[in-house]
Amino acid sequence: MHLVASKQVPADDCKRGIAVARLRLLKLPATVLSAGVFDHVAIAVADLGASERFYRTVLSVLGAEPSHADAELVEWDDWDIGVMDREHPVTRGLHVGFRAPSRQAVDAFWRAGIDAGYRDDGAPGPRTIHGPDYYGGFLLDPDGNSAEAVHTNREDPVPDGCIDHVWIRVRDPAASKRFYITIAQHAGLRIGVDKPDHVQMVGENFSFSLIDDERPLTQHVHLAFPAQDDATVRAFHAAALAAGYEDHGGPGERAVYHPGYYGAFVLDPDGHNVEVVNHNR
């Protein structure tokens, strides 16, 4: 799935003195995100209005409001939902965790969703399997993706309402691990958990996990990682292609997104579109 980047919008909660970048699923350009967090994560949805209502309902409790919304795309800084089409099938089987400022905010996130008629995916409570003070609450969005509010002590957490972690169910964690190790130095990643059925890639203050738990595979996700220079974008693309991975858009400026937008795209072993981008700002 080749997703493209969105128009520039004002930076919001997920900035730290640096303009925030996000993804455009269709035709508009994107902005800049500080190193150490996702540049953007994007999904395609079956009914944009229905998904917008869900994410507005629950993310507002965490202090996050859309920074851009139109008939084709709604953006919460590093989290984007856009309309499906032939080139962008609906995202399924994804888990995304959003940072909550407190356990009480996790409770409120879950309660807001339940009161609005959305489906439970796990009531708020401790999940010590993930850490001694890990506290999360889970809901299902209209397409069946799992959305979580999580509060846990971290040395340098992402801002409230931003993406703390993503889980992607994959065919072969070892194969996915080889791909992400190949691009790790160019995408600012390192190995966290390394198990046969769970590989966790860690950034400065976020993570994503590659999971095999015999549940349906995750489909059609776009992950983008920030770069500080164009050379890193080129090195990412060259390393992936040299290792035999599939090109999905060579290095170059995409001025249609915004002047200076310089990115490259490859497909991971499950066909997810992975980008490294330098916004030159």
Side-chain angles (χ1 to χ4, degrees), residues 73-135:
L73 175 76
V74 184
E75 302 175 316
W76 287 261
D77 300 304
D78 57 352
W79 174 247
D80 297 352
I81 61 173
V83 295
M84 63 168 289
D85 60 23
R86 181 176 298 180
E87 294 184 0
H88 310 105
V90 173
T91 302
R92 306 282 190 192
L94 179 68
H95 170 76
V96 56
F98 299 95
R99 175 75 181 180
S102 64
R103 290 188 171 199
Q104 291 75 20
V106 173
D107 295 343
F109 166 96
W110 185 84
R111 176 51 56 189
I114 295 299
D115 288 349
Y118 297 111
R119 292 173 290 169
D120 174 31
D121 196 37
R127 282 2 186 233
T128 55
I129 190 173
H130 302 310
D133 66 344
Y134 191 106
Y135 190 90

Side-chain angles (χ1 to χ4, degrees), residues 7-81:
K7 67 182 179 181
Q8 183 178 357
V9 294
D12 200 351
D13 293 337
C14 295
K15 69 177 183 178
R16 291 184 177 177
I18 302 176
V20 178
R22 61 190 51 90
L23 174 72
R24 174 66 161 164
L25 284 160
L26 293 172
K27 302 177 182 177
L28 301 173
T31 59
V32 185
L33 189 63
S34 63
V37 299
F38 282 113
D39 191 274
H40 50 265
V41 176
I43 64 173
V45 301
D47 181 332
L48 185 61
S51 291
E52 179 181 358
R53 286 190 293 275
F54 171 81
Y55 284 104
R56 279 184 183 270
T57 297
V58 298
L59 292 182
S60 64
V61 176
L62 306 182
E65 299 293 342
S67 45
H68 173 83
D70 62 26
E72 297 176 331
L73 175 76
V74 184
E75 302 175 316
W76 287 261
D77 300 304
D78 57 352
W79 174 247
D80 297 352
I81 61 173

